[in-house]
Amino acid sequence: MAVVVTFIPFLALAWKLLGFAIFGLALLDGWKLYDIKSIEIQRNVSGSLALGVWSEVTLQLRNPHLQTQKVEIFDDYPPYCEFEALPQTLLVKSQRSVQTHYRIRPEKRGNTQFSGFHLLTYSPLGIWKKYRYIKQETPIKIYPNFAAITKYTLLAMEDRLGQIGIKQLQRRGEGLEFHQLREYRAGDTLRQVDWNASARIKKLISKQYQDERDQQVIFLLDCGRRMWTQDGALSHFDHTLNAMLLLTYVALRQGDAMGLMTFSGQEQRWLAPRKGVNSVNVVLNTVYDLQPSLHTSDYLTAAKHLITRLNKRALIILVSNLRDEDHEELIPAMRLLQKRHLVLVASLQEAVLNQVLDQPVNQFKEALRYAATHEYLHSRRQAHEALNRHGVLYLDTEPEHLPISLVNRYLEIKRSGVL
């Protein structure tokens, strides 16, 4: 019993000494952390990113000091972006560098920036962490998704455009220009055969034609409130810009001139028709920061402004989200443009409409919704038929199908010679 009584004060003293030792060690660890200087960080990222496309950001961390540092880093990435692989914990050895990566996917176009870094530095024993914010601004531009242009170029080089839905139609009608003579190929018509050239070299020679060049294509881009409509990750306006970029590239490659005018937005933008594939960059920089407004779309005023800017016949493409109540204002606007130009109206259809029709009807509420959707689509078809009766070409499609549908309609118009 005496041994146990004697041991208890000794145990209490040992715990106190241990506590003082841990406290002292923690103070020493904290003092060393306070004395640690920050590492150097460099961010490498493209100055222009594509909307909805994953892009890689590279971080270079350099430790110029004599002490190895363990850090936790979080990059202050732009707003409206998804990210992967943040934050990250890294060990940066003395006088060494470490490189790491993470990915972001922008969800909104326009001018934005990376602001800086949130940095947690661990003490040597890992008891403490020291927070620092390192300001490092990197301005970037979020463009519409131009990945479709790259894909189109690659497939066009290999004559495989059918894989993305581009239709290779047979040419017909007038408005085609002679391009060159070449050897006869299977599928060439007899009208293409140059019999004089074939007789001279005793081999079938065909004439190769190209669509008429030096024509004008003008986008009339609706920036009104309906273009805020969003079915998935992208709004109708974003889908429209993606389609416009792809068609711009295709038309410029065809030798046509591309231009655009916006209406019903915060400001009106005008880009005069210009040629050359490099003009895609000009179009990008003209529209990348555009956002739809809360204004009602004014088609007639837009048509009046546009005809004062054009002195040559053009294909005018109006992209909007039309309703049947737009008919009374839209028809006069289209008639005004048709006096000299060919007009194509591309109307965006909400994907949810077809989803409603595909769902089973089991309750009265579902039946009402099904019937209302049918009635709405019927009114929409009537509005489009009215455009057709007035000689206006129209295209009714869901936003995600707009790029390919618009390119196909443009190529069809070119090959028919009606422009």
Side-chain angles (χ1 to χ4, degrees), residues 141-189:
K141 296 179 179 180
I142 309 299
Y143 285 110
N145 185 4
F146 42 79
I149 295 178
T150 304
K151 187 173 184 179
Y152 179 92
T153 304
L154 293 175
L155 293 176
M157 292 173 61
E158 300 176 8
D159 199 21
R160 293 189 292 123
L161 290 175
Q163 292 186 7
I164 58 173
I166 302 295
K167 299 176 182 177
Q168 302 295 314
L169 302 176
Q170 293 293 326
R171 294 181 172 88
R172 64 183 185 276
E174 303 298 329
L176 303 179
E177 297 179 346
F178 173 77
H179 180 48
Q180 64 182 2
L181 294 176
R182 58 166 172 77
E183 288 190 14
Y184 178 86
R185 297 175 186 169
D188 288 349
T189 64

Side-chain angles (χ1 to χ4, degrees), residues 337-377:
L337 294 174
Q338 281 182 301
K339 289 180 179 179
R340 188 171 185 180
H341 308 286
L342 182 66
V343 182
L344 169 64
V345 174
S347 181
L348 301 178
Q349 182 184 127
E350 292 87 348
V352 68
L353 297 175
N354 291 322
Q355 293 172 7
V356 170
L357 297 181
D358 291 338
Q359 292 176 356
V361 178
N362 299 316
Q363 299 180 2
F364 180 69
K365 184 185 295 185
E366 294 172 347
L368 286 178
R369 184 172 59 179
Y370 185 88
T373 303
H374 259 298
E375 178 64 24
Y376 172 78
L377 290 175

